[in-house]
Amino acid sequence: MNAAADLDLQSIPDRIQSEVQRAIQRSIKGVEYISSSGPALGSTPKDILQVRGTMNLYHYRPISDEIYRVPILIVMATTNRGYILDMVPGQSFIEFLLKRGYDVYMLDWTAPKPEEKSLRMEDYVLDFIPDCVSRVQRDSGETDVTVIGYCFGGVLSLLYGSIFADGPMKNLICFTTPVDFREMKLFQNFSDRRYFDVDRLVDSVGNVPPEMILSSFEMLRPASRAASQLQLWENIWNDEYVKSYHMFDRWATDTLPLAGEYFRTITKDLMWDNKLYNDTMSVGGRAADISKIKVPILHAVAEHDHIVPYDAAKPLIQKIGSIDKEEVMLKGGHVSLVAGANAIKRLWPKLDSWLGERST
């Protein structure tokens, strides 16, 4: 007992010195973090095929000697930028696909200008996506196109696929895509028609400001930002942790405004009337019943997704008309499902295995 106590007392100076050094490192690294802009994101070489309004179409330069026949068009969510799928080398989903031999295109978005407040759901579903699909066909020389939709990009892809059910979409992959909007609990409360005057909002401000959208996301986990900043401070001397924090924090706060008319439709048709789930959705007067989609579909959902809870995403596979359909539930959250170490180990290999068989 005495020997152990003496040993413990002898270790006190070393422990104090260690804590002092750690505090110094925190201060030094903290200054470095504040002054640093973080790693460059979205740097995989690509060509811009088209820029039209809020729409950007990219083609990533192939790096594999053998390329699958069927090209991929990724449709990003309209609230966020596409570099979440193209982080730094070694952590880029785009880079992974290129190395595996896929021909990759992306439909990414920029902030709608004030004069674009009148953009409607039909502009996205009946114009932007079909235009990009046609350009992918011309650029690749192939008729078939695989569509990958992330979050609300998945909703747009479902609407597109249901209206253009005869093609040219050959395969559909959705990441964390909601169908039953009643189960988006906090967003339901936020947009409750008894208290939320969406017409007054859109008519007053035009485009919905990004601060409002970001706040709605942060309300899902009110303490998450404070907790993540505490974790950053605890790990500030860990360069890999800081690098990862920089990347994901930048993306999470880099929220885009939404075109006013588009947001009005989302609120009324999806949040209020749940038309996608009820099979009553239409876009530009054209029925958008997802049971009409017959192509192979893979839906990846996250076990701990706080933005699109599983109950909101679960009906997709049940309601889709395809025979070849699969849901895969993986550990992680809304972002870590598709990007970061968790995605590298779990989602990416699964997607490659599924897609490789259907891309020839």
Side-chain angles (χ1 to χ4, degrees):
M1 291 289 292
N2 289 338
D6 289 343
L7 183 61
D8 189 58
L9 288 172
Q10 290 173 7
S11 69
I12 288 176
D14 291 336
R15 282 156 40 201
I16 292 175
Q17 182 66 23
S18 175
E19 287 301 318
V20 169
Q21 290 299 323
R22 183 170 292 186
I24 292 172
Q25 285 297 311
R26 277 201 186 103
S27 299
I28 294 172
K29 292 290 187 179
V31 172
E32 291 178 358
Y33 176 81
I34 293 171
S35 61
S36 171
S37 60
L41 306 177
S43 59
T44 300
K46 60 182 178 291
D47 298 305
I48 301 175
L49 292 189
Q50 186 186 25
V51 175
R52 182 162 68 89
T54 186
M55 181 192 88
N56 296 278
L57 178 61
Y58 306 131
H59 179 217
Y60 293 89
R61 298 171 190 169
I63 58 178
S64 178
D65 292 334
E66 295 186 7
I67 306 296
Y68 282 105
R69 181 185 67 82
V70 182
I72 295 171
L73 174 63
I74 297 173
V75 180
M76 279 304 301
T78 43
T79 50
N80 294 106
R81 301 184 189 273
Y83 61 73
I84 187 65
L85 301 181
D86 187 23
M87 293 295 196
V88 295
Q91 297 186 46
S92 166
F93 177 59
I94 300 296
E95 178 190 56
F96 170 80
L97 290 176
L98 294 173
K99 287 183 175 180
R100 299 301 298 172
Y102 297 98
D103 194 10
V104 184
Y105 298 78
M106 178 184 285
L107 170 50
D108 198 14
W109 311 99
T110 54
K113 298 174 183 176
E115 60 268 25
E116 293 175 311
K117 64 183 180 181
S118 60
L119 284 172
R120 305 156 299 168
M121 181 69 77
E122 45 261 52
D123 292 307
Y124 290 86
V125 175
L126 304 181
D127 184 3
F128 289 144
I129 295 180
D131 185 17
C132 287
V133 169
S134 295
R135 288 177 180 271
V136 169
Q137 289 176 304
R138 293 200 299 270
D139 189 69
S140 66
E142 295 293 338
T143 301
D144 296 329
V145 177
T146 289
V147 176
I148 298 179
Y150 176 45
C151 188
F152 208 88
V155 174
L156 295 178
S157 300
L158 287 171
L159 295 174
Y160 164 78
S162 64
I163 293 172
F164 298 93
D166 293 333
M169 186 170 70
K170 178 176 173 57
N171 305 295
L172 175 61
I173 297 171
C174 292
F175 298 151
T176 64
T177 296
V179 170
D180 187 353
F181 284 81
R182 294 173 306 176
E183 298 299 333
M184 307 279 282
K185 296 298 187 182
L186 187 133
F187 292 110
Q188 279 290 328
N189 293 334
F190 178 82
S191 64
D192 191 317
R193 72 174 80 202
R194 294 173 296 175
Y195 315 111
F196 182 53
D197 191 342
V198 66
D199 291 324
R200 184 178 179 184
L201 172 69
V202 172
D203 294 342
S204 299
V205 304
N207 294 329
V208 179
E211 295 80 10
M212 175 181 163
I213 299 166
L214 179 60
S215 296
S216 67
F217 285 136
E218 291 189 335
M219 281 191 294
L220 292 168
R221 287 183 175 176
S224 63
R225 176 155 290 274
S228 66
Q229 289 173 340
L230 285 173
Q231 287 182 316
L232 172 64
W233 180 246
E234 288 295 322
N235 295 276
I236 197 72
W237 58 80
N238 183 330
D239 290 340
E240 284 302 311
Y241 185 93
V242 172
K243 175 183 174 183
S244 177
Y245 183 92
H246 246 310
M247 293 189 297
F248 287 100
D249 184 64
R250 174 184 162 187
W251 180 82
T253 56
D254 193 5
T255 305
L256 296 170
L258 291 177
E261 290 302 324
Y262 172 66
F263 180 77
R264 197 195 309 259
T265 298
I266 291 172
T267 302
K268 291 186 175 182
D269 286 2
L270 298 178
M271 300 304 301
W272 289 359
D273 295 339
N274 206 20
K275 288 184 177 180
L276 186 62
Y277 178 79
N278 293 331
D279 305 324
T280 57
M281 185 70 182
S282 65
V283 180
R286 303 178 67 172
D289 181 353
I290 63 174
S291 67
K292 295 179 181 177
I293 298 176
K294 307 294 184 181
V295 301
I297 180 170
L298 176 70
H299 189 199
V301 295
E303 185 176 359
H304 306 293
D305 193 333
H306 68 293
I307 293 177
V308 180
Y310 178 59
D311 284 343
K314 179 171 60 175
L316 174 53
I317 292 298
Q318 301 169 5
K319 297 181 75 63
I320 210 82
S322 309
I323 296 175
D324 182 356
K325 54 185 178 179
E326 180 180 354
E327 175 189 277
V328 55
M329 166 80 78
L330 298 171
K331 292 186 180 297
H334 189 75
V335 178
S336 64
L337 173 75
V338 298
N342 180 61
I344 293 172
K345 291 184 294 185
R346 294 187 171 94
L347 177 63
W348 298 1
K350 168 61 182 177
L351 185 145
D352 177 39
S353 174
W354 188 90
L355 192 56
E357 298 176 359
R358 297 164 176 83
S359 298
T360 56

